[in-house]
């Protein structure tokens, strides 16, 4: 099976030590779950082949490959390899904060749409919406394990703005509205 890595939105599948000396090319197939989303053939160089493509946020990808031998202008293809392990892309952005309500004079309860490939969530809050994306006047709470959170210790009478993003081992999504 090929080795697969994802960096943000770029998937790279590679196979090394290709033992079939007749292999001229390696054909790769990229699946998001059970759906084929990309395919490509690359030339074998020094017993190695590597294929890269872009992937969508929120996907969980696996790849398989096979050798191709070009013999007298006809392709002879080998059997498909085992699938690689599944690798998650950067998670998608939560669609929206669905609940934002005061739960006391100094706390706010939030809920947002769940993202299946998220391991945790971060929320960011501030007293001025214009502070998002350009000020140190925001506070971030990281490592939230569920799609809800109660922020306590706020100042009574102040107005607050919140946004959320999802995270996994490959990074963080953009912030929600």
């Amino acid at each position: 099976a090929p080795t697969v890595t994802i960096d943000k939105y770029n998937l790279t599948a590679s196979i090394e030590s290709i033992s079939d000396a007749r292999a001229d090319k390696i054909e790769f197939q990229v699946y998001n779950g059970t759906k084929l989303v990309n395919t490509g053939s690359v030339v074998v160089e020094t017993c190695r082949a590597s294929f890269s493509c872009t992937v969508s946020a929120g996907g969980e990808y696996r790849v398989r490959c096979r050798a191709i031998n070009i013999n007298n202008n006809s392709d002879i293809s080998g059997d498909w390899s085992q699938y690689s392990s599944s690798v998650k892309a950067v998670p998608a952005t939560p669609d929206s904060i669905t609940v934002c309500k005061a739960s006391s004079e100094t706390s706010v309860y939030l809920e947002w749409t769940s993202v299946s490939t998220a391991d945790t969530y971060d929320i960011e809050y501030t007293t001025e919406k214009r502070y998002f994306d350009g000020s140190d006047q925001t506070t971030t709470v990281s490592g939230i394990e569920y799609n809800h959170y109660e922020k306590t210790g706020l100042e009574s009478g102040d107005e607050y703005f919140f946004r959320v993003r999802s995270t996994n081992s490959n990074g963080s999504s953009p912030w929600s509205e």
Side-chain angles (χ1 to χ4, degrees), residues 124-156:
E124 184 177 39
Y125 64 95
T126 184
T127 56
E128 295 282 338
K129 194 173 184 179
R130 64 187 168 93
Y131 290 159
F132 287 137
D133 297 324
S135 169
D136 61 359
Q137 299 298 310
T138 65
T139 302
T140 302
V141 179
S142 300
I144 301 166
E145 295 182 5
Y146 304 101
N147 66 322
H148 56 88
Y149 184 77
E150 184 170 3
K151 176 59 192 140
T152 60
L154 300 172
E155 290 291 323
S156 180

Side-chain angles (χ1 to χ4, degrees), residues 99-110 149-160 162:
V99 174
C100 181
K101 64 180 180 181
S103 51
S104 76
E105 287 187 14
T106 59
S107 62
V108 171
Y109 177 79
L110 303 163
Y149 184 77
E150 184 170 3
K151 176 59 192 140
T152 60
L154 300 172
E155 290 291 323
S156 180
D158 282 352
E159 182 177 36
Y160 288 90
F162 294 88

Side-chain angles (χ1 to χ4, degrees), residues 6 31-33 55-61 87-92 117 168 170:
I6 297 178
Y31 288 82
N32 184 358
V55 293
S56 299
E60 193 162 347
Y61 297 90
V87 180
K88 295 177 183 177
V90 170
T117 57
N168 68 19
N170 278 325

Side-chain angles (χ1 to χ4, degrees), residues 65-134:
C65 63
R66 67 178 175 182
I68 299 174
N69 174 264
I70 302 171
N71 185 2
N72 297 329
N73 295 326
S74 63
D75 289 349
I76 301 171
S77 300
D79 293 331
W80 286 106
S81 71
Q82 297 277 331
Y83 285 98
S84 67
S85 298
S86 291
V87 180
K88 295 177 183 177
V90 170
T93 303
D95 288 334
S96 63
I97 294 176
T98 56
V99 174
C100 181
K101 64 180 180 181
S103 51
S104 76
E105 287 187 14
T106 59
S107 62
V108 171
Y109 177 79
L110 303 163
E111 284 185 19
W112 52 87
T113 54
S114 181
V115 175
S116 64
T117 57
D119 293 333
T120 61
Y121 300 92
D122 300 334
I123 62 164
E124 184 177 39
Y125 64 95
T126 184
T127 56
E128 295 282 338
K129 194 173 184 179
R130 64 187 168 93
Y131 290 159
F132 287 137
D133 297 324

